Amino acid sequence: MANSDTSERIDALETRIAYQDQAIEDLNTALTEQWKTIDLLTRKLVMLEEQVRTGSYIADPATEKPPPHY
């Protein structure tokens, strides 16, 4: 009887560990994707900051058409 109880407890623990391993893997995958997104957004932000700092985002008035009301 004790052997059967021990076996059931071990089976329950193994099942639980298997689900926890899968949950950890799923979380790791999600975290990895989020870090890729964060890295991409950080690089874009640095690029935009550089454009603002250098003024390259400002249109050249010589190449711009006048507004329609002129």
Side-chain angles (χ1 to χ4, degrees), residues 12-58:
L13 288 171
E14 287 175 343
T15 301
R16 196 168 170 191
I17 288 172
Y19 280 113
Q20 288 177 349
D21 285 346
Q22 185 60 49
I24 290 170
E25 185 61 35
D26 292 346
L27 290 169
N28 185 49
T29 300
L31 187 60
T32 301
E33 289 301 314
Q34 288 175 349
W35 273 112
K36 287 178 184 178
T37 301
I38 289 170
D39 184 52
L40 174 66
L41 292 173
T42 301
R43 285 187 273 124
K44 286 183 176 185
L45 179 60
V46 168
M47 183 181 69
L48 288 172
E49 287 174 336
E50 183 61 30
Q51 288 176 354
V52 168
R53 205 174 294 115
T54 62
S56 63
Y57 70 97
I58 300 173

